[in-house]
Amino acid sequence: MTITALPTPPSRQDPANFAARADAFLGALPTFGTQANALQADVNAKQAAAAASASAAQADRLLCQAAATAVAAQSPVANAAAAANS
């Protein structure tokens, strides 16, 4: 998502171009505002998706950790029998 660069802002140090630059700069602000708001919505949506993905990854990690603990708790005989049955 892109934001169009704003034109050169007006400056009192350059009175000959002040009016033209002010018109161009102020005329560009509505487009800039629309693009900035769209970018904000996009960033917020991606942040929410990233947070959901992180939560899912954490849940998967906990499941894997529980499975590893369960396997480690089995006796060698039970592990051998489970391996033979799979």
Side-chain angles (χ1 to χ4, degrees):
M1 177 157 296
T2 61
I3 293 181
T4 304
L6 291 171
T8 302
S11 170
R12 289 182 293 166
Q13 308 305 329
D14 185 10
N17 293 310
F18 188 89
R21 286 185 179 171
D23 288 344
F25 191 81
L26 291 175
L29 287 179
T31 300
F32 176 82
T34 299
Q35 291 172 341
N37 288 338
L39 177 62
Q40 174 267 334
D42 186 51
V43 168
N44 284 353
K46 288 180 178 163
Q47 183 276 329
S53 180
S55 293
Q58 174 68 1
D60 286 349
R61 184 188 69 79
L62 293 174
L63 287 173
C64 288
Q65 195 172 33
T69 300
V71 168
Q74 293 177 357
S75 69
V77 173
N79 285 341
N85 290 332
S86 64

